Amino acid sequence: MKMPWSKPAPAAGDSVTSPTPSAPVEEVKLDPTAPKGRPTPKRQQRRQPVPPPPTTGKEARQRMRERDKERKAAGLPAEKRTVSPREERMQARDAGPERALVRNIVDSRRSVSSAFPLFAILILVAMFSGLPTKNPQLYNYVSYAWLAFFAVIIIESFFLARIIGAAVRERFPKTTLRMGSLRYYGIIRGLMIRRLRYPKPVIEPGESY
């Protein structure tokens, strides 16, 4: 019995066609040796590992010179120098003819104050090595030597400040810089070891400034 909702049966001549499976797509393999697959020279340079940053100023300057030689050989202009904020502050602090005069005054003098970093390190080593408990008498001598050394630093700084003030007033009577800042600049430089001073000394001890 045929129900109203049943589908009509297919005719005898009609054949049920099943969907034909699609042909498999062949996977295209790229030849790694093909010219188009090779990276461009610039991309190849970018893929190279980045060298570690320089650890010293000498190494950084050597790398700059090497890059300048490479750019000059390639016909490119020289690389622009970028200055770090710390170097900008140092250059601003040391700029000016007044500070150059102060540096020359300090560098032309032989002083005991320049040994302050070494003496301070010896005092710290003596304290942390247990010298006050192991040998109190020797530690007392070291303490007296430290007080005497500190008194010498104060005396030398006082006379250095007077010399700086007189020299700056004589050569730059119309200077707008504060004399106190110039004196402090010279005293701090005098407390540093000569080889570690920056900017580097341009005159030898005993020379006229």
Side-chain angles (χ1 to χ4, degrees):
M1 181 177 178
K2 183 178 180 182
M3 302 302 290
W5 57 80
S6 62
K7 294 182 180 180
D14 297 340
S15 60
V16 179
T17 59
S18 59
T20 58
S22 59
V25 180
E26 295 182 359
E27 184 180 358
V28 180
K29 296 183 179 180
L30 298 178
D31 186 6
T33 60
K36 291 186 178 180
R38 298 176 183 174
T40 59
K42 292 184 178 180
R43 188 177 300 175
Q44 190 173 6
Q45 291 178 0
R46 289 196 295 267
R47 289 182 180 179
Q48 293 179 355
V50 180
T55 56
T56 60
K58 183 178 180 180
E59 184 179 356
R61 290 189 294 270
Q62 184 178 1
R63 290 189 183 182
M64 286 183 182
R65 287 193 293 268
E66 291 177 356
R67 287 198 298 267
D68 290 342
K69 290 180 181 179
E70 293 176 357
R71 294 179 67 89
K72 187 177 181 180
L76 300 175
E79 185 179 0
K80 293 183 179 180
R81 298 287 184 261
T82 56
V83 181
S84 63
R86 180 175 178 272
E87 291 177 346
E88 289 182 355
R89 290 194 299 269
M90 293 178 68
Q91 291 177 1
R93 182 198 64 185
D94 300 322
E98 294 90 344
R99 289 187 173 86
L101 174 62
V102 173
R103 290 195 298 271
N104 292 338
I105 293 174
V106 176
D107 297 336
S108 64
R109 295 168 55 88
R110 291 185 176 90
S111 63
V112 180
S113 303
S114 59
F116 172 76
L118 298 177
F119 203 85
I121 292 174
L122 291 177
I123 294 295
L124 292 176
V125 170
M127 291 180 62
F128 286 104
S129 62
L131 184 62
T133 57
K134 293 179 180 178
N135 196 337
Q137 187 175 1
L138 179 60
Y139 180 73
N140 291 333
Y141 292 150
V142 173
S143 301
Y144 294 148
W146 168 252
L147 292 176
F149 184 76
F150 198 72
V152 172
I153 289 177
I154 294 176
I155 295 172
E156 286 188 346
S157 300
F158 174 76
F159 285 104
L160 178 62
R162 294 190 61 180
I163 294 172
I164 289 174
V168 172
R169 290 193 189 94
E170 180 181 356
R171 297 195 183 184
F172 305 100
K174 297 182 180 180
T175 181
T176 57
L177 298 178
R178 293 187 298 109
M179 198 61 62
S181 64
L182 294 176
R183 289 170 175 167
Y184 178 77
Y185 177 75
I187 291 172
I188 295 299
R189 185 176 178 86
L191 294 176
M192 299 175 63
I193 302 174
R194 183 179 177 85
R195 292 186 177 181
L196 301 181
R197 292 174 183 174
Y198 182 86
K200 294 183 179 181
V202 295
I203 62 175
E204 297 295 330
E207 293 183 0
S208 60
Y209 50 84

